[in-house]
Amino acid sequence: MLLQHLLLAALTATTASAQYGLQKRTIHAKRQEPAPVGNGTAPGDAPSSSTPAMPALPDTHNFSVPINWKDESKGKFNNRYWLDDQAYEDGGPVIFQSMGEFAGEVGLMNLDETMALTIANKTRGVIVYFEHRYYGQSLPELDDPEIVNDPEKLGEWIGAGLSVDNALEDIAQFAKGFKLDGKDLSAGKVPWIVVGSSYSGSIAAWLRERNPEVAFAALASSAGLELTKEDQSFDQSIEDYSRQQYPNCTADLKEFMKWQNDIYESEDTEAFNGWLSAIGAGNKSELYTFFTQQANADSSLERAVSRAHNELLFREFLLYGPTDGQLPTFCDGLQARAIKANPELAKKIASDGVVAALGSWDKAQSLVFSTFKSMWADYMKAMGAAGGAQPPLKDLCASGSQQMCTTFLSLQAWAYQRCFELGNALTANGDDSAISPAFDNIEAARDECVDMFGESARAGPSLQPRKWTAESYSNTFFPDGAHDPWRGVSVNAESRGTSEEIPAAGKRARFGAVMPDSWHSAVFGCTAWLNRGDDKIDIKATEEWQVGDPNCGKDVQDAQQLFLDALDKWLPTFKPHSLTGGANSTTGGNSTLPAPGSPSAGSEVSGAGGHSGVPLLLAGVVAGVWGLLSGNNYN
């Protein structure tokens, strides 16, 4: 997420005047020091260099896993993981974090600013960062590169081993044999605290439910557990917030979406192509190529490009909310353009919106289009160093570019999971008040799945992980931002409700917190200052450290502290136990782990080493950005 933010920073800075008084986020790269701070610096000190060096990544280790735990004869591959033992002391727990749908490098760029480290500082634990199977470099070898050009065969290749069940079993088996410097830290010997946010938060909750003998406690932030075929609550939450905070801009967006819906439904090709050209996405343009390079020949390219601009406005709102996202950037830019062109209407534009002030959509259309065009132009400049105009990634598989081919396969893996298993296709509510297009519907989402993986995707997702979604959980905490678009499918949905009362260890409850001023994964995006061995977060130091970050308020720190307090109550009840045939464990397995202390000899995947280099980081960048801005609504 950090790398995505850095690439998108050029866009968020394009509007000089913040018409809505928005404050841009400041990212600090400050280490959580043990008490007392020994280097003479205070928590809020700025980095010593305005251009900090790229941080060295920890050594890469590998865990050999079968392609499918239910049929180990299908072969094996190496699953990567990394360790952080800077806070570890003998007797401490294991803090385990799945990296979710991102390459490991994306999550490893800021190791000294993680919620996992905050927990480790308090509990004196060791952290394991575990790459999810079929993401990053943790996937089987692609024997036939031509598979990527056959949707059905590509789907079969990914589906042979990618499932939530297999991913959970990877963790369960890993936890049964984990050692640190020869010391047995398996889940039967010490408590394992499984943490994650968004999809990795779902993994944490599901693992606690599936394998309680492994996951002693779980922190599941912004976890989308209520799987459905489609999810209208995502866009609806953004629309609701926009109406509250930016009524003038929302009125303009409603007119814009009505126009889009009309030309789409009437198949007005001339108007549609005119719109694409006006925003700089005309046929064969760099932007057009960027957003259609993954499409199959029979895909609707117009649909892909049209959705792409909506991805810019709405989908990344998930990560950055109204302060760092592109929705306010668009609103600020449109308002500034309109006022510059019509200074006598400034007051009415600010109160009622551009369309109302000018009298019609036709008069406002060019201003809307030019605002989009400037945003995409700046985005493409930012993407230039990341290869935005490169050939389709799948072509790089046949050309022998392993790293970029792996990036393509990782991107397809997330689409596969959403198409075949997880669901929750992001669709518009379809009414006249919507600020997202009506053609973002379940049929269009299903068509895109078929484009990518053939007719086998037509049946839709299995929603299989729902069997681990419970009415209540034990030893699990669910924090969500009140404005998180995923909240509608979380334990903290308004129709369900949770309690902030810490339950007894092992007692089922809806234990959670709704942070009133926060967004998606706020507990993981805002790093609390907690000196090693302390019980409480240092609120003042955190505020100084995270100065300028509007997403790091007291509501977030209170939620973080609530989980730490829960650990105080739960951890003393842990008792060593046998992991053989443990409750809810579904399979066996005899996988062994290399001794963490040096990278596993002779078994590392290509490109993995003690300190990963720039190409792998670049692959993570491309994967993250494309995951946000690809032309499909399975994000």
Side-chain angles (χ1 to χ4, degrees), residues 115 369 376 448 485 601:
M115 183 61 190
F369 288 0
W376 282 126
E448 290 179 21

Side-chain angles (χ1 to χ4, degrees), residues 50-351:
S50 59
T51 308
M54 181 178 292
L57 301 184
D59 288 337
T60 302
H61 305 284
N62 289 288
F63 177 50
S64 178
V65 297
I67 291 175
N68 194 312
W69 282 100
K70 295 179 179 178
D71 183 1
E72 298 188 31
S73 67
K74 292 185 177 181
K76 294 188 174 185
F77 64 92
N78 284 325
N79 205 105
R80 301 191 300 172
Y81 68 97
W82 299 265
L83 301 176
D84 184 348
D85 62 354
Q86 61 177 289
Y88 179 70
E89 291 185 5
D90 191 39
V94 172
I95 296 97
F96 182 97
Q97 182 172 342
S98 168
M99 307 304 280
E101 71 273 30
F102 294 99
E105 287 80 7
V106 175
L108 294 171
M109 284 295 292
N110 220 19
L111 283 180
D112 288 335
E113 290 193 44
T114 69
M115 183 61 190
L117 183 57
T118 298
I119 298 169
N121 278 345
K122 175 181 173 59
T123 63
R124 305 300 178 94
V126 59
I127 307 169
V128 177
Y129 295 102
F130 195 85
E131 192 165 60
H132 191 295
R133 61 169 46 221
Y134 283 72
Y135 294 101
Q137 302 289 315
S138 296
L139 71 173
E141 183 176 353
L142 185 66
D143 294 328
D144 181 8
E146 291 301 319
I147 286 176
V148 301
N149 295 310
D150 186 320
E152 289 283 356
K153 289 183 178 179
L154 178 60
E156 291 172 1
W157 183 83
I158 296 174
L162 179 58
S163 69
V164 171
D165 192 55
N166 273 325
L168 295 178
E169 192 61 24
D170 291 341
I171 302 171
Q173 294 299 327
F174 180 89
K176 291 179 179 180
F178 179 63
K179 294 182 179 180
L180 180 66
D181 295 331
K183 184 176 180 60
D184 186 354
L185 296 184
S186 64
K189 298 293 185 181
V190 300
W192 277 52
I193 305 166
V194 184
V195 304
S197 66
S198 199
Y199 172 54
S200 66
S202 300
I203 289 290
W206 286 330
L207 186 71
R208 171 61 188 167
E209 189 68 13
R210 179 186 185 269
N211 295 95
E213 80 284 1
V214 168
F216 175 75
L219 170 60
S221 171
S222 298
L225 301 176
E226 301 294 329
L227 304 184
T228 60
K229 300 285 185 180
E230 63 175 317
D231 174 25
Q232 294 185 351
S233 67
F234 186 101
D235 282 8
Q236 187 64 55
S237 67
I238 300 173
E239 292 168 15
D240 291 344
Y241 186 86
S242 180
R243 289 189 192 98
Q244 295 171 12
Q245 300 296 320
Y246 318 121
N248 55 349
C249 185
T250 302
D252 292 329
L253 285 170
K254 285 162 62 177
E255 293 293 329
F256 175 44
M257 291 303 166
K258 183 179 182 299
W259 176 81
Q260 279 198 79
N261 292 336
D262 288 345
I263 66 169
Y264 192 83
E265 291 171 5
S266 63
E267 298 183 357
D268 188 340
T269 303
E270 182 178 354
F272 197 92
N273 288 335
W275 148 245
L276 296 181
S277 297
I279 66 169
N283 191 24
K284 297 183 180 180
S285 70
E286 185 176 287
L287 180 60
Y288 183 87
T289 300
F290 178 73
F291 281 110
T292 60
Q293 63 176 343
Q294 299 305 315
N296 297 309
D298 58 349
S299 298
S300 169
L301 301 185
E302 288 84 2
R303 183 183 70 216
V305 176
S306 183
R307 280 197 174 161
H309 87 266
N310 293 306
E311 300 294 310
L312 178 69
L313 277 187
F314 306 126
R315 298 299 184 249
E316 54 82 63
F317 188 97
L318 172 75
L319 301 181
Y320 308 124
T323 52
D324 293 337
Q326 299 313 305
L327 181 57
T329 300
F330 168 81
C331 291
D332 289 348
L334 174 61
Q335 183 167 298
R337 278 180 167 78
I339 290 175
K340 183 177 180 180
N342 305 275
E344 73 282 2
L345 297 175
K347 186 175 293 187
K348 189 170 181 59
I349 290 171
S351 63

